[in-house]
Amino acid sequence: MKVTLISIPVRDQEKALKFYTEVLGFIIKKDKPLEGGNRWVTLVSPEWQDGPELLLEPGPNHFEPCKIYQDALMKAGMPYTQFDVKSVDAEYERLTKLGVEFSVKPSQMGTWKYAVFNDTCGNNIELVEEL
């Protein structure tokens, strides 16, 4: 068994697609139209194109419990998911120059460095670096 797809809830697929590709640097793997104006949009890391796909899931628009959960995580300041990076400091610098808002600046906890940013689509995302 292995993980091949990870879903992240987004309230606006177009806005999310732009942020995740143009700002974060993910690349589109699949983009297929679905009913109701939605799309099956998956992204992959340019560093691991055969790795897990990230699905931009419009769940909060169609399933109220998903929206409530997403809102609760944001209110609590908890990340929805995390992305591993080679250097949290370098990504923090790169992303802040692009206007990304961080709620947690690069910090260290034991053998890990982390930072948390707002993906503009309803989620906090944590960047993690193993030291």
Side-chain angles (χ1 to χ4, degrees):
M1 190 178 311
K2 63 182 177 178
V3 175
T4 60
L5 183 79
I6 299 164
S7 176
I8 188 161
V10 298
R11 296 181 182 194
D12 183 324
Q13 282 186 314
E14 283 302 318
K15 182 178 180 182
L17 183 59
K18 185 174 181 164
F19 181 83
Y20 278 80
T21 57
E22 295 178 14
V23 177
L24 298 184
F26 285 91
I27 56 176
I28 297 171
K29 178 114 182 196
K30 296 177 184 135
D31 188 356
K32 300 182 188 286
L34 298 173
E35 294 177 11
N38 296 308
R39 295 156 52 189
W40 182 266
V41 181
T42 67
L43 310 172
V44 292
S45 167
E47 300 167 18
W48 193 14
Q49 293 185 34
D50 292 326
E53 295 175 45
L54 182 65
L55 173 65
L56 300 179
E57 172 65 57
N61 297 333
H62 309 288
F63 187 59
E64 188 65 20
C66 182
K67 182 178 180 184
I68 292 168
Y69 178 65
Q70 187 185 39
D71 287 344
L73 287 176
M74 282 296 287
K75 184 176 180 182
M78 293 181 64
Y80 185 85
T81 194
Q82 77 177 37
F83 300 144
D84 290 359
V85 295
K86 292 178 184 174
S87 170
V88 167
D89 291 326
E91 284 299 314
Y92 175 81
E93 291 299 320
R94 181 181 79 81
L95 294 174
T96 53
K97 287 178 182 173
L98 294 171
V100 175
E101 295 180 16
F102 280 78
S103 58
V104 177
K105 294 181 180 179
S107 304
Q108 189 171 335
M109 184 184 305
T111 59
W112 298 91
K113 186 172 268 193
Y114 65 97
V116 178
F117 67 88
N118 182 325
D119 76 351
T120 74
C121 304
N123 306 290
N124 286 313
I125 304 294
E126 184 171 41
L127 299 179
V128 176
E129 169 191 357
E130 187 173 7
L131 302 173

